């Protein structure tokens, strides 16, 4: 009998998510807003994608969760922002949720992913990530939400990562440099921007891991 042929293949060895980023779970987030001032302008749309791992330890985007948001009382909206995002506040199919409800709709899958991977906290991944985090934190404070899974100030920013990896800091150009297509007609949708940022982040991190493993084996 050929024992070698009958022996099961060795499973690939990789670092689990809980140990990969100091116990943090990367979650890609994008927000659409009524302006640039998170203390004054409204949160209008939010999308989030907890990252997952495949059987080889490579990062991949998980499920997308998103919500349109009813502008919180006391917040402002710059009409120029609506021109950029294309958001129609009174559109009958917008189905916007109150701010606290919208946050919980997005946070619940993040908490489930934290439990799945044994991670302690989510860390926001974004393109110009502190912009998204500042609006997220402002909405949490306004709504009195007590179960925010995100680290309050640490982020992974794909502007920096793409600048190092591809010499590009604009999201569209970075994605194209990474070999992905970019549909300008869908840009400034929280879902589209989040999904594209997730693809970019996974590509960069997985490429770094492949180089690291190659150096160890070389």
């Amino acid at each position: 009998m050929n024992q070698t042929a009958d022996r099961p293949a060795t499973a690939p060895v990789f670092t689990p998510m809980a140990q990969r980023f100091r116990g943090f779970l990367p979650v890609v987030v994008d927000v659409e807003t009524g302006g640039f001032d998170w203390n004054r302008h409204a949160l209008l749309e939010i999308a989030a994608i907890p990252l997952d791992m495949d059987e080889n330890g490579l990062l991949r985007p998980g499920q997308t969760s998103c919500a349109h948001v009813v502008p919180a009382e006391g917040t402002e909206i710059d009409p120029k922002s609506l021109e950029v995002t294309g958001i129609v506040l009174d559109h009958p199919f917008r189905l916007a949720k109150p701010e606290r409800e919208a946050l919980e709709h997005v946070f619940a899958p993040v908490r489930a992913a934290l439990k799945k991977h044994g991670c302690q906290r989510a860390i926001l991944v974004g393109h110009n990530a502190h912009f998204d985090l500042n609006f997220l934190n402002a909405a949490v404070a306004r709504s009195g939400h007590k179960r925010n899974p995100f680290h309050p100030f640490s982020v992974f920013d794909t502007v920096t990562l793409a600048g190092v990896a591809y010499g590009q800091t604009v999201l569209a150009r970075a994605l194209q440099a990474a070999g992905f297509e970019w549909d300008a007609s869908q840009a400034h949708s929280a879902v589209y921007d989040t999904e594209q940022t997730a693809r970019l982040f996974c590509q960069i991190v997985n490429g770094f891991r492949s180089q690291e493993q190659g150096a160890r084996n070389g």
Side-chain angles (χ1 to χ4, degrees):
M1 178 183 292
N2 188 338
Q3 294 182 346
T4 301
D6 294 338
R7 186 181 303 154
T10 303
V13 178
F14 57 86
T15 304
M17 191 78 84
Q19 299 173 22
R20 187 74 188 278
F21 304 101
R22 292 188 58 247
F24 294 138
L25 174 69
V27 179
V28 185
V29 173
D30 185 76
V31 300
E32 300 301 333
T33 67
F36 295 109
D37 186 342
W38 51 88
N39 291 313
R40 185 161 58 94
H41 290 124
L43 175 66
L44 301 178
E45 188 180 356
I46 182 170
I49 302 176
L51 297 187
D52 211 338
M53 272 188 173
D54 67 14
E55 64 277 6
N56 296 310
L58 297 177
L59 293 187
R60 64 184 181 188
Q63 293 295 315
T64 304
S65 59
C66 63
H68 291 277
V69 187
V70 177
E73 185 177 354
T75 58
E76 302 174 15
I77 298 174
D78 184 341
K80 292 181 180 179
S81 294
L82 299 183
E83 291 177 10
V84 172
T85 62
I87 293 174
V88 179
L89 293 176
D90 59 354
H91 194 287
F93 299 128
R94 187 164 180 261
L95 303 176
K97 303 177 185 295
E99 199 167 61
R100 184 186 177 91
E101 184 181 336
L103 290 174
E104 182 56 26
H105 180 78
V106 170
F107 288 170
V110 174
R111 290 196 296 268
L114 287 171
K115 183 176 181 180
K116 172 184 175 180
H117 291 288
C119 293
Q120 301 169 10
R121 204 161 198 177
I123 185 168
L124 188 146
V125 179
H127 205 73
N128 293 309
H130 276 107
F131 177 88
D132 302 281
L133 182 62
N134 285 333
F135 269 95
L136 180 66
N137 285 340
V140 167
R142 273 194 305 267
S143 64
H145 199 291
K146 302 299 183 183
R147 300 186 66 195
N148 178 8
F150 286 91
H151 193 285
F153 54 83
S154 292
V155 298
F156 289 143
D157 196 333
T158 51
V159 170
T160 302
L161 293 171
V164 172
Y166 303 115
Q168 298 290 346
T169 57
V170 175
L171 181 58
R173 293 179 180 178
L175 281 158
Q176 290 167 345
F180 298 117
E181 295 183 357
W182 175 259
D183 184 353
S185 68
Q186 296 191 62
H188 301 296
S189 154
V191 170
Y192 184 76
D193 288 359
T194 303
E195 290 176 345
Q196 299 310 306
T197 302
R199 295 172 75 188
L200 180 64
F201 181 78
C202 290
Q203 173 101 339
I204 294 171
V205 175
N206 290 339
F208 175 81
R209 182 176 179 273
S210 298
Q211 291 178 13
E212 184 180 37
Q213 288 183 329
R216 288 178 179 174
N217 297 332

